[in-house]
Amino acid sequence: MRRCTPPSFFLFTCILTSSFAPSLFAADPAPPSPWLQPENAAKYVFVGKQVWNVDSGQVVSPTGAPALQTPARPILGVTDRYYLDMNSHYPGLPGMVTPGRVFAYDGTNVVPTLDGQRPQDYGHLGYWMNADSRRIVWIEKGDYWRGEADWTKGTIVNRKKITSLNAFDTHNTPLLWWAQYLFVYGGFDKDKPIVRINLATGDTDELPSAHGLNLGPDRALGGFVSPSYYRIVDPTSAILYCYDARTGQTTEIPSPLKAGPGSPPPAPLRTARARVDRR
């Protein structure tokens, strides 16, 4: 009898004994639904338990929306390690993951830090990590920096200063990260409180808070973000405002959630809700 932790999307412990019948492992798992496949992330949005096709505006499944979770997952190019978020109940900011560690199957683990030392508080690492578990950004001396996680040595390499504004502090936290664009709370212009940073060039733009790309009272995005991280949905009783981070354009769609007199309020979207993390 031996204990093993298999490299699957869910971290669990299993006990193997010779009494298991081969038939238990014979059936192949059913393929995931189209809206659960990463390549289709931009095509669907979850409304309550319903799954909606964004392009057609039709319900494709009345109960197919999954519960939000952040399971363990493999690391590209590595066969003996897996990545595990340290707080699976908090999905992280849009386009970013919660602080996590890479575990080897022998139980040892490593987490990259800015100073290369093992952290005292795993909940406050001082940076934000992209959903690819590789790219990292942080604020240092008034500006944003970027780097890459070295999961072998537990440090951050290829560090580069991105902005030269000497204007950012702990209040100017990220809102959303898509591709090379980082959207952060600026607050330097009351009419344009959102700052978009191009991490490849260092260019910055100040954007207004409007339907589709609007800020809530806690300086978090007021909409809901698709699994692709570039489409933000801001539902109202009459219109669904859909902001596209790729183009900067907002599309207006007649709301399928419009309720008549006496009707219950519509179920909330259950995509990754934009939240602010003031670490």
Side-chain angles (χ1 to χ4, degrees):
M1 181 171 64
R2 65 187 177 90
R3 188 176 69 177
C4 69
T5 306
S8 65
F9 283 103
F10 294 96
L11 178 63
F12 62 94
T13 300
C14 66
I15 305 298
L16 298 181
T17 69
S18 58
S19 62
F20 282 152
S23 61
L24 292 177
F25 304 97
D28 293 330
S33 302
W35 51 88
L36 299 180
Q37 298 175 10
E39 61 270 23
N40 294 328
K43 299 179 181 179
Y44 300 96
V45 66
F46 304 141
V47 182
K49 294 183 178 181
Q50 298 177 345
V51 180
W52 288 73
N53 183 291
V54 173
D55 295 324
S56 67
Q58 301 296 316
V59 175
V60 296
S61 174
T63 59
L68 285 176
Q69 56 187 337
T70 310
R73 55 187 181 274
I75 301 172
L76 183 65
V78 179
T79 59
D80 64 341
R81 298 171 186 267
Y82 57 87
Y83 178 85
L84 180 67
D85 290 333
M86 287 178 283
N87 186 350
S88 61
H89 299 291
Y90 172 42
L93 296 168
M96 289 161 270
V97 295
T98 58
R101 283 175 278 183
V102 162
F103 285 79
Y105 293 127
D106 62 4
T108 59
N109 65 84
V110 64
V111 58
T113 58
L114 289 168
D115 59 7
Q117 303 298 314
R118 198 166 185 82
Q120 298 296 317
D121 184 351
Y122 285 95
H124 299 274
L125 297 176
Y127 61 73
W128 296 271
M129 180 179 288
N130 188 269
D132 60 15
S133 300
R134 178 181 61 85
R135 292 176 293 164
I136 288 172
V137 295
W138 68 95
I139 300 172
E140 182 178 328
K141 296 180 179 179
D143 284 291
Y144 264 92
W145 290 62
R146 64 176 170 86
E148 297 178 353
D150 185 329
W151 289 107
T152 302
K153 299 179 180 179
T155 188
I156 298 172
V157 298
N158 299 328
R159 304 184 183 204
K160 183 178 180 179
K161 184 179 180 181
I162 300 303
T163 63
S164 298
L165 301 175
N166 193 28
F168 298 107
D169 58 26
T170 55
H171 295 91
N172 306 120
T173 51
L175 303 169
L176 179 145
W177 190 346
W178 176 77
Q180 78 268 29
Y181 293 105
L182 185 71
F183 294 74
V184 306
Y185 172 77
F188 308 116
D189 185 332
K190 65 181 181 64
D191 296 322
K192 297 181 178 181
I194 299 171
V195 177
R196 180 178 59 189
I197 303 172
N198 188 323
L199 298 176
T201 66
D203 295 336
T204 59
D205 300 290
E206 290 182 296
L207 307 176
S209 175
H211 279 303
L213 185 67
N214 63 304
L215 290 175
D218 57 352
R219 300 201 308 270
L221 289 178
F224 299 83
V225 183
S226 73
S228 61
Y229 307 123
Y230 62 74
R231 195 188 305 274
I232 306 171
V233 180
D234 180 17
T236 68
S237 61
I239 297 175
L240 289 177
Y241 295 93
C242 299
Y243 177 82
D244 194 322
R246 300 169 300 177
T247 63
Q249 302 298 315
T250 298
T251 301
E252 298 181 9
I253 303 173
S255 178
L257 306 179
K258 187 174 182 180
S263 299
L269 298 179
R270 289 173 57 209
T271 49
R273 181 65 190 261
R275 297 173 58 184
V276 68
D277 185 346
R278 296 186 175 89
R279 282 173 294 186

